[in-house]
Amino acid sequence: MARGRCHPHALLLLLLAAALAGAPPGGLYSPGDPLVLLQVDTLESSVLNSSSAWLVEFYASWCGHCVHFAPTWRALAADIQEWSPAVNVAVVDCADIANQKTCGKFGITGFPTLKVNSVCFVPPTDPGDSIQNLRQSIITNLEMHKETWPPACPPLEPASVEEIRGFFQTNNVTYLALIFETNESFLGREVTLDMLQYENVAVRRVLSSEEELVKKYGVTAFPSSFLLINNGTFSRIPVQMEARSFYTHFLQRLPGVTRGPYMPTRAPDTPIKTTPIPRKPADRSKVYMADLESALHYALRVEVARFSVLTGERVRALKDFVAVLAKYFPGRPFVQNFLRSVDRWLRNVRGSRIPYSALKLVLTNRKEGQAPAVLSNNVTWVGCQGSEPHFRGYPCSLWTLFHLLTVQATRHHSGQKAEDPLEVLGAMRGYVQSFFGCRECAQHFEGMAAESMDKVRSVDEAALWLWSRHNRVNARLAGTETEDPQFPKLQWPPPELCHPCHSVVKRRQVWDEAAVLQFLKAYFSPINIFLNYTEPETALVVRRSREAKEGAGEWAMGFSGPRKPSIVRMNPKMQELEEDIVDLDSFSELHYKSKALKAAAVAANKGRQLSKRDTIPLLLADDSHQAFDYAAAWERLRQRGLGSKQLIGALEEDEGDTLRRSHWFRMLGVGFSRLDVSLCIILYFLSSMCLLGMYTFFRMRTRHRKGRPSFPTA
């Protein structure tokens, strides 16, 4: 019979050691929990060169199912705490920007994802038996591994007659517990791991098919257990119930049985540095652009980035989602340019395969001529900020974005029949099904969509459908672990926001859908979107110009490093996108450093001229590239009555730009770089010299002809 083996974590630990560069503790777990919060010092002191198996949960702190599953995972860690050092339990928060690259290398595309022996398995959804199912999944994955048996792991395979006959001659223990069970039972293996840390006692499982041992000890029921002593005696273990906890309790209290030197793996005793996020005052009657832009950034640059290659339905879902964003999102001009540029790129893609390495370049902030395409890389929650980091946040902002898009569709098609009333809802459905990280949440949304979405006949009905389904979700999650105690999940809108929306019919509260629709159109109107806590567009452009000048090439997800563009030959059939495709707009931006934008801004500055005294507060104090508060500078200049184009010129003035501020030079420099202007001047000078030479030549030739003597005619 094959020998069961306990995984020494070779694959998992090697990946962790290579990829994990420091993961601060997530919001769902704390250092007091009986599990390991993976960090750099944890890897060095506990994980590296370990002979243990590692059971790791990859989760996102904002994921509702992860919040719901956290107590189960915490209880499992406590339940198998004594399985250490054979098995250690750990967590990684993939919502933390420091861990996103690590999660990507592990191929994590949904949350929560559990890995043991580098094999993913889905957490049980039934809380009643999930811990038992998880224990059995761990054991099954341990026995499937075929590497060298590590010293820390006890044997889990069934015992044979020969092993039992000479056991006390080869093992220096006083007690041997035999657990007779069927082949499908996990009881014997669980008790074996439970007793791992205890000395002077051993546990072996014996299958019901071992007839000689069954007959020798008179076993008539399965499971049952017998205790063998090294003096040759044996007896039935007296327990009230043939269960794991009863066996373990009895064996741990045998005379001479003591706990050995094994200790559960713990995170190092290092101080955890946490920066409290100040509460931003928000008005519930307003929509905040910071929430919407944060949702766009996270949806496009984080959620989509979990897939190294997009194929089939995911390509279609992304195209539809971005097309709806480009058409209906009432964003700031630079953000709209960003969405339109991404939409154009996706429309030009042929085939059903897109490597994310190519898409990543398109999602990087860049400039197209005089129309910068910029979407902030920051995540700032205002109206969606929760009382704790794992409350609200991204799911709240995504709901807000979806509501906004459905309402914008009603405004876009006002007075005319929409070509497709499911245009926005269908794009949402595809995105959630293909990319939304909380997979259980995505399944719930898909269930609601399959139930009644096809019955929507107009854009107004689409807005009401999404509103009613959002309220259904709120009702289902009210009172659960996912509910923020400071922001309870109530039916929306409440009476204080929309009193006409609520009515009573026969003493029963009902919704006035006409009033609700009117409220939705007013609440999600562009005039009700406020720019509080958003970084000014001009500041984003200037910062992007600085990054291009410094060669930062910063990727949208926060991973910095110089990007080395290269131009590659494209396949004329355009069937597949190569991994090293480079966006030529980004390539040009890195090389020409956005000089066209500077010249255009200076040329447009027809008002008050900014002096050096005005621009000093806006410039860095030295060349050390320290962080600069663009938002504060923007507000100060706005208070002085200066426009956005003047601000661009002010912020760019002292960046080594030697362009003169004279009126004629500004007009000549519109849309051109310094190299372009220099070439024009040189060509103009050469042309002038050529014309002057030609003029001199013909002038002298004419004078020479007039001075020649004439001959008399006959």
Side-chain angles (χ1 to χ4, degrees):
M1 187 171 294
R3 176 179 175 88
R5 288 180 170 84
C6 176
H7 178 37
H9 79 283
L11 296 177
L12 183 57
L13 288 184
L14 287 176
L15 287 174
L16 282 171
L20 193 60
L28 301 186
Y29 302 95
S30 66
D33 295 329
L35 42 74
V36 180
L37 306 176
L38 289 176
Q39 304 177 66
V40 174
D41 49 3
T42 304
L43 289 173
E44 295 176 353
S45 62
S46 303
V47 178
L48 295 180
N49 301 320
S50 172
S51 60
S52 305
W54 283 82
L55 180 62
V56 183
E57 178 200 7
F58 296 85
Y59 73 97
S61 54
W62 52 261
C63 170
H65 186 34
C66 299
V67 176
H68 178 70
F69 182 68
T72 300
W73 190 250
R74 197 178 294 109
L76 173 70
D79 183 72
I80 65 173
Q81 188 172 3
E82 292 186 342
W83 291 16
S84 177
V87 179
N88 293 314
V89 182
V91 292
V92 177
D93 185 5
C94 295
D96 193 311
I97 191 172
N99 297 332
Q100 288 170 1
K101 188 175 182 180
T102 300
C103 298
K105 288 186 176 181
F106 276 105
I108 305 301
T109 58
F111 308 109
T113 294
L114 308 181
K115 282 206 170 190
V116 59
N117 299 7
S118 277
V119 177
C120 292
F121 61 96
V122 180
T125 56
D126 185 0
D129 62 352
S130 59
I131 295 180
Q132 178 181 352
N133 290 347
L134 285 170
R135 284 200 314 266
Q136 296 177 0
S137 298
I138 295 170
I139 294 173
T140 300
N141 283 277
L142 292 179
E143 292 185 320
M144 290 173 59
H145 198 71
K146 299 181 180 180
E147 292 187 5
T148 304
W149 189 269
C153 297
L156 300 179
E157 77 281 4
S160 62
V161 176
E162 293 75 12
E163 181 185 0
I164 301 302
R165 184 179 296 122
F167 184 84
F168 289 109
Q169 285 73 30
T170 58
N171 295 273
N172 186 21
V173 295
T174 304
Y175 306 100
L176 172 61
L178 297 181
I179 298 180
F180 292 83
E181 60 184 354
T182 61
N183 188 42
E184 297 78 16
S185 174
F186 287 86
L187 178 61
R189 287 167 285 186
E190 291 177 345
V191 175
T192 300
L193 290 168
D194 286 339
M195 298 301 298
L196 174 63
Q197 298 183 21
Y198 290 83
E199 295 180 338
N200 207 27
V201 62
V203 181
R204 293 292 184 270
R205 61 188 296 248
V206 180
L207 296 183
S208 57
S209 57
E210 287 287 350
E211 297 181 358
E212 182 176 345
L213 292 177
V214 170
K215 182 178 180 180
K216 177 179 179 180
Y217 294 102
V219 180
T220 58
F222 302 94
S224 60
S225 59
F226 287 79
L227 182 66
L228 281 65
I229 307 177
N230 58 3
N231 60 8
T233 62
F234 68 90
S235 62
R236 179 77 179 266
I237 295 180
V239 292
Q240 296 179 354
M241 182 182 299
E242 307 289 341
R244 171 195 173 202
S245 59
F246 288 89
Y247 286 155
T248 302
H249 182 271
F250 176 84
L251 295 175
Q252 289 175 353
R253 283 156 179 78
L254 286 173
V257 174
T258 59
R259 185 186 293 272
Y262 300 120
M263 294 299 294
T265 303
R266 298 286 188 182
D269 295 330
T270 54
I272 300 174
K273 299 179 180 179
T274 57
T275 303
I277 301 176
R279 179 68 191 168
K280 302 178 183 67
D283 188 343
R284 290 200 307 167
S285 64
K286 299 176 181 178
V287 179
Y288 292 91
M289 185 62 74
D291 293 324
L292 299 172
E293 291 183 358
S294 297
L296 290 176
H297 161 72
Y298 202 92
L300 297 176
R301 294 170 173 162
V302 180
E303 294 273 74
V304 178
R306 297 195 183 99
F307 301 88
S308 58
V309 178
L310 307 182
T311 58
E313 289 300 322
R314 287 196 176 93
V315 173
R316 172 53 53 194
L318 182 62
K319 287 184 175 183
D320 293 344
F321 184 61
V322 174
V324 166
L325 291 174
K327 183 176 182 180
Y328 295 118
F329 184 72
R332 298 184 288 175
F334 292 176
V335 177
Q336 290 182 332
N337 293 340
F338 174 87
L339 295 174
R340 290 166 185 160
S341 66
V342 177
D343 181 45
R344 285 195 300 270
W345 187 86
L346 289 173
R347 289 177 183 272
N348 292 330
V349 170
R350 298 294 181 265
S352 59
R353 182 178 183 274
I354 301 178
Y356 186 77
S357 57
L359 180 62
K360 177 180 67 176
L361 300 178
V362 182
L363 296 175
T364 302
N365 291 333
R366 63 195 184 282
K367 179 179 69 61
E368 297 181 350
Q370 298 185 19
V374 180
L375 175 63
S376 175
N377 295 338
N378 299 326
V379 174
T380 304
W381 310 125
V382 183
C384 287
Q385 184 178 9
S387 60
E388 297 291 340
H390 58 277
F391 287 135
R392 309 185 76 209
Y394 175 57
C396 166
S397 67
L398 196 62
W399 275 112
T400 305
L401 176 63
F402 287 173
H403 285 297
L404 177 69
L405 294 175
T406 57
V407 170
Q408 285 300 111
T410 65
R411 298 170 60 89
H412 188 271
H413 297 287
S414 178
Q416 57 181 332
K417 185 177 180 179
E419 297 179 359
D420 183 8
L422 296 178
E423 178 186 17
V424 177
L425 292 182
M428 295 178 198
R429 180 181 183 179
Y431 177 84
V432 171
Q433 188 66 17
S434 298
F435 299 106
F436 192 57
C438 180
R439 299 316 302 159
E440 184 179 357
C441 308
Q443 293 173 6
H444 282 296
F445 189 88
E446 175 61 24
M448 294 188 300
E451 175 187 335
S452 58
M453 182 180 287
D454 58 345
K455 300 178 182 179
V456 174
R457 294 292 180 264
S458 67
V459 289
D460 287 348
E461 290 184 13
L464 288 173
W465 184 91
L466 187 66
W467 158 78
S468 64
R469 270 45 188 187
H470 193 176
N471 272 341
R472 180 188 295 185
V473 173
N474 284 343
R476 178 172 56 85
L477 298 179
T480 65
E481 301 92 338
T482 63
E483 184 179 46
D484 191 332
Q486 296 188 16
F487 298 91
K489 295 184 180 298
L490 305 175
Q491 296 299 285
W492 191 87
E496 56 268 24
L497 284 183
C498 181
H499 182 72
C501 297
H502 300 261
S503 60
V504 178
V505 176
K506 296 181 179 179
R507 298 182 180 181
R508 181 171 174 265
Q509 182 177 354
V510 296
W511 292 100
D512 186 338
E513 292 193 352
V516 170
L517 180 62
Q518 184 179 359
F519 169 80
L520 292 175
K521 292 182 178 181
Y523 185 85
F524 292 103
S525 170
I527 63 174
N528 197 42
I529 301 176
F530 289 79
L531 301 180
N532 305 51
Y533 303 101
T534 55
E535 191 172 3
E537 289 181 305
T538 48
L540 289 172
V541 174
V542 173
R543 185 176 66 179
R544 179 58 187 162
S545 179
R546 287 182 184 273
E547 292 171 353
K549 182 175 293 183
E550 296 166 2
E554 183 179 357
W555 180 28
M557 282 180 60
F559 306 119
S560 61
R563 176 154 50 92
K564 299 178 181 179
S566 60
I567 303 176
V568 298
R569 179 176 299 177
M570 298 295 295
N571 185 347
K573 296 183 179 181
M574 289 295 291
Q575 294 298 321
E576 293 183 352
L577 294 174
E578 300 297 334
E579 292 288 335
D580 53 352
I581 294 176
V582 170
D583 183 5
L584 293 182
D585 292 329
S586 300
F587 180 84
S588 302
E589 179 187 4
L590 288 176
H591 283 271
Y592 292 102
K593 304 178 181 180
S594 305
K595 293 301 181 181
L597 175 62
K598 300 179 185 178
V602 173
N605 184 9
K606 298 181 181 180
R608 168 189 165 193
Q609 298 297 316
L610 296 176
S611 65
K612 283 286 184 180
R613 182 183 62 185
D614 296 322
T615 61
I616 286 176
L618 306 178
L619 302 172
L620 295 177
D622 50 33
D623 295 331
S624 61
H625 309 296
Q626 298 177 358
F628 183 69
D629 191 350
Y630 290 99
W634 166 260
E635 293 298 330
R636 288 197 296 270
L637 282 180
R638 279 182 50 187
Q639 293 174 2
R640 298 182 186 179
L642 303 180
S644 60
K645 295 181 179 179
Q646 291 174 305
L647 175 61
I648 297 178
L651 293 177
E652 298 282 358
E653 180 181 0
D654 209 30
E655 294 186 6
D657 188 1
T658 58
L659 293 176
R660 300 296 182 264
R661 299 295 181 178
S662 64
H663 174 70
W664 291 107
F665 200 89
R666 289 200 304 270
M667 292 185 62
L668 291 174
V670 173
F672 298 95
S673 67
R674 289 194 300 170
L675 178 62
D676 297 331
V677 175
S678 300
L679 290 175
C680 289
I681 294 175
I682 293 174
L683 291 176
Y684 179 80
F685 174 79
L686 293 177
S687 300
S688 300
M689 296 301 297
C690 182
L691 291 174
L692 180 61
M694 294 176 62
Y695 172 79
T696 304
F697 171 80
F698 285 110
R699 182 73 175 175
M700 294 179 63
R701 182 179 179 85
T702 302
R703 290 182 179 179
H704 179 70
R705 292 178 62 89
K706 288 183 178 180
R708 294 177 60 182
S710 60
F711 295 94
T713 59

Coordinates of all heavy atoms in Angstrom, one line a residue, residues 152-188:
A152 N 9.1 16.1 10.5 CA 8.1 16.7 11.4 C 6.8 16.0 11.2 O 5.9 16.2 12.1 CB 8.0 18.2 11.1
C153 N 6.6 15.3 10.1 CA 5.2 14.7 9.9 C 5.2 13.3 10.3 O 6.0 12.4 10.0 CB 4.9 14.8 8.4 SG 4.8 16.5 7.8
P154 N 4.1 12.9 11.0 CA 3.9 11.5 11.4 C 3.4 10.7 10.2 O 2.8 11.2 9.3 CB 2.9 11.6 12.5 CG 2.1 12.8 12.1 CD 3.0 13.7 11.5
P155 N 3.5 9.4 10.2 CA 3.0 8.5 9.1 C 1.5 8.5 9.2 O 0.9 8.4 10.3 CB 3.6 7.1 9.4 CG 3.9 7.1 10.8 CD 4.3 8.5 11.2
L156 N 0.8 8.7 8.0 CA -0.6 8.7 8.0 C -1.2 7.5 7.3 O -2.4 7.4 7.2 CB -1.1 10.0 7.3 CG -0.7 11.4 7.9 CD1 -1.2 12.5 7.1 CD2 -1.2 11.5 9.3
E157 N -0.4 6.7 6.7 CA -0.9 5.5 6.0 C -1.3 4.4 7.0 O -0.9 4.4 8.1 CB 0.2 5.0 5.0 CG 1.3 4.1 5.7 CD 2.3 5.0 6.4 OE1 2.2 6.2 6.4 OE2 3.3 4.4 6.9
P158 N -2.2 3.5 6.5 CA -2.6 2.5 7.4 C -1.5 1.5 7.9 O -0.5 1.3 7.1 CB -3.7 1.7 6.6 CG -4.1 2.6 5.5 CD -2.9 3.5 5.2
A159 N -1.6 1.0 9.1 CA -0.5 0.2 9.6 C -0.8 -1.3 9.1 O -1.9 -1.7 8.9 CB -0.5 0.2 11.1
S160 N 0.3 -2.0 9.0 CA 0.3 -3.4 8.6 C 0.5 -4.3 9.8 O 0.9 -3.9 10.9 CB 1.3 -3.7 7.6 OG 2.6 -3.5 8.1
V161 N 0.3 -5.6 9.6 CA 0.4 -6.6 10.7 C 1.9 -6.6 11.1 O 2.2 -6.7 12.3 CB 0.0 -8.0 10.2 CG1 0.2 -9.0 11.3 CG2 -1.5 -8.0 9.9
E162 N 2.8 -6.6 10.2 CA 4.3 -6.6 10.5 C 4.7 -5.4 11.3 O 5.5 -5.6 12.3 CB 5.1 -6.7 9.2 CG 4.9 -8.0 8.4 CD 3.6 -8.1 7.7 OE1 2.9 -7.0 7.6 OE2 3.2 -9.2 7.2
E163 N 4.2 -4.3 11.0 CA 4.6 -3.1 11.7 C 4.1 -3.1 13.2 O 4.8 -2.8 14.1 CB 4.0 -1.8 11.1 CG 4.4 -0.5 11.8 CD 3.7 0.7 11.2 OE1 3.0 0.6 10.2 OE2 3.9 1.8 11.7
I164 N 2.8 -3.6 13.4 CA 2.3 -3.7 14.7 C 3.0 -4.7 15.6 O 3.3 -4.5 16.8 CB 0.8 -3.9 14.7 CG1 0.1 -2.8 13.9 CG2 0.2 -4.0 16.1 CD1 0.3 -1.4 14.5
R165 N 3.4 -5.8 14.9 CA 4.0 -6.9 15.6 C 5.4 -6.5 16.2 O 5.7 -6.9 17.4 CB 4.2 -8.1 14.7 CG 4.8 -9.4 15.4 CD 4.9 -10.5 14.5 NE 3.6 -11.0 14.0 CZ 3.2 -11.0 12.7 NH1 4.1 -10.6 11.8 NH2 2.0 -11.4 12.3
G166 N 6.2 -5.7 15.5 CA 7.5 -5.3 16.1 C 7.5 -3.8 16.4 O 8.6 -3.3 16.4
F167 N 6.4 -3.2 16.7 CA 6.4 -1.8 16.9 C 7.2 -1.4 18.1 O 8.0 -0.4 18.1 CB 4.9 -1.3 17.1 CG 4.8 0.2 17.2 CD1 4.8 1.0 16.1 CD2 4.8 0.8 18.5 CE1 4.7 2.4 16.2 CE2 4.7 2.2 18.6 CZ 4.6 3.0 17.4
F168 N 7.0 -2.0 19.3 CA 7.7 -1.6 20.5 C 9.2 -1.9 20.5 O 10.0 -1.3 21.2 CB 7.1 -2.2 21.7 CG 5.7 -1.7 22.1 CD1 4.6 -2.5 21.9 CD2 5.6 -0.4 22.6 CE1 3.3 -1.9 22.2 CE2 4.3 0.1 22.8 CZ 3.2 -0.6 22.6
Q169 N 9.6 -2.8 19.6 CA 11.1 -3.1 19.5 C 11.8 -2.0 18.7 O 13.0 -1.8 18.9 CB 11.3 -4.5 18.7 CG 11.0 -5.7 19.6 CD 9.6 -5.9 19.9 OE1 8.7 -5.5 19.0 NE2 9.2 -6.5 21.0
T170 N 11.0 -1.3 17.8 CA 11.7 -0.3 17.0 C 11.3 1.1 17.4 O 11.9 2.1 16.9 CB 11.2 -0.4 15.5 OG1 9.8 -0.4 15.4 CG2 11.7 -1.8 15.0
N171 N 10.4 1.3 18.4 CA 10.0 2.6 18.8 C 10.0 2.7 20.3 O 9.5 1.8 21.0 CB 8.5 3.0 18.3 CG 8.4 3.0 16.8 OD1 8.7 4.1 16.2 ND2 8.1 1.9 16.2
N172 N 10.7 3.7 20.9 CA 10.8 3.9 22.3 C 9.6 4.7 22.9 O 9.7 5.8 23.2 CB 12.1 4.6 22.6 CG 12.4 4.7 24.1 OD1 11.9 3.9 24.9 ND2 13.3 5.6 24.5
V173 N 8.5 4.1 23.0 CA 7.3 4.7 23.5 C 6.6 3.6 24.4 O 6.9 2.4 24.4 CB 6.3 5.1 22.4 CG1 6.9 6.2 21.6 CG2 5.9 3.9 21.6
T174 N 5.8 4.2 25.3 CA 5.1 3.3 26.3 C 3.7 2.8 25.7 O 3.3 1.7 25.9 CB 4.8 4.0 27.6 OG1 6.1 4.4 28.1 CG2 4.2 3.1 28.6
Y175 N 3.1 3.7 24.9 CA 1.7 3.4 24.5 C 1.6 3.5 23.0 O 2.3 4.3 22.3 CB 0.7 4.5 25.1 CG 0.7 4.6 26.6 CD1 1.4 5.6 27.2 CD2 0.1 3.7 27.4 CE1 1.5 5.8 28.5 CE2 0.1 3.8 28.8 CZ 0.8 4.9 29.3 OH 0.9 5.0 30.7
L176 N 0.8 2.6 22.5 CA 0.4 2.6 21.0 C -1.1 2.5 20.9 O -1.7 1.5 21.4 CB 1.1 1.5 20.3 CG 0.6 1.3 18.8 CD1 0.9 2.5 18.0 CD2 1.2 0.0 18.2
A177 N -1.7 3.6 20.3 CA -3.2 3.5 20.2 C -3.5 3.1 18.7 O -3.0 3.7 17.8 CB -3.8 4.9 20.4
L178 N -4.3 2.1 18.6 CA -4.8 1.6 17.3 C -6.2 2.0 17.1 O -7.1 1.7 17.9 CB -4.6 0.1 17.2 CG -3.2 -0.5 17.4 CD1 -3.3 -2.1 17.2 CD2 -2.3 0.1 16.3
I179 N -6.5 2.7 16.0 CA -7.8 3.1 15.7 C -8.3 2.3 14.5 O -7.7 2.5 13.4 CB -7.9 4.6 15.4 CG1 -7.4 5.4 16.7 CG2 -9.3 5.1 15.0 CD1 -7.5 6.9 16.5
F180 N -9.2 1.5 14.7 CA -9.8 0.6 13.6 C -10.9 1.4 12.9 O -11.9 1.9 13.6 CB -10.3 -0.7 14.2 CG -9.2 -1.6 14.7 CD1 -8.7 -1.4 16.0 CD2 -8.7 -2.6 13.9 CE1 -7.7 -2.3 16.4 CE2 -7.7 -3.4 14.4 CZ -7.2 -3.3 15.6
E181 N -10.8 1.5 11.6 CA -11.8 2.3 10.9 C -11.9 1.9 9.4 O -11.0 1.1 9.0 CB -11.4 3.8 10.9 CG -10.1 4.1 10.3 CD -9.6 5.6 10.4 OE1 -10.5 6.4 10.9 OE2 -8.5 5.9 10.0
T182 N -12.9 2.4 8.7 CA -13.0 2.1 7.3 C -12.0 2.9 6.5 O -11.4 3.9 7.0 CB -14.4 2.3 6.8 OG1 -14.7 3.7 7.0 CG2 -15.4 1.4 7.6
N183 N -11.9 2.6 5.2 CA -10.9 3.3 4.4 C -11.3 4.8 4.2 O -10.5 5.7 4.0 CB -10.8 2.6 3.1 CG -9.6 3.2 2.2 OD1 -8.6 3.5 2.7 ND2 -9.9 3.4 0.9
E184 N -12.6 5.1 4.2 CA -13.1 6.4 4.0 C -13.1 7.3 5.2 O -13.2 8.5 5.1 CB -14.6 6.4 3.5 CG -14.8 5.7 2.2 CD -14.8 4.2 2.3 OE1 -14.9 3.7 3.5 OE2 -14.6 3.5 1.3
S185 N -12.8 6.8 6.4 CA -12.8 7.5 7.6 C -11.5 8.3 7.7 O -10.4 7.9 7.4 CB -13.0 6.6 8.8 OG -12.8 7.3 10.0
F186 N -11.6 9.6 8.3 CA -10.5 10.4 8.6 C -10.1 10.5 10.0 O -9.2 11.2 10.4 CB -10.8 11.9 8.1 CG -10.8 12.0 6.6 CD1 -11.9 11.8 5.9 CD2 -9.6 12.5 6.0 CE1 -11.9 11.9 4.5 CE2 -9.6 12.6 4.6 CZ -10.8 12.4 3.8
L187 N -10.9 9.7 10.9 CA -10.7 9.8 12.3 C -9.3 9.5 12.8 O -8.7 10.2 13.5 CB -11.7 8.9 13.0 CG -11.6 8.8 14.5 CD1 -11.9 10.2 15.2 CD2 -12.6 7.8 15.1
G188 N -8.7 8.3 12.3 CA -7.4 7.9 12.7 C -6.3 8.9 12.3 O -5.4 9.2 13.1

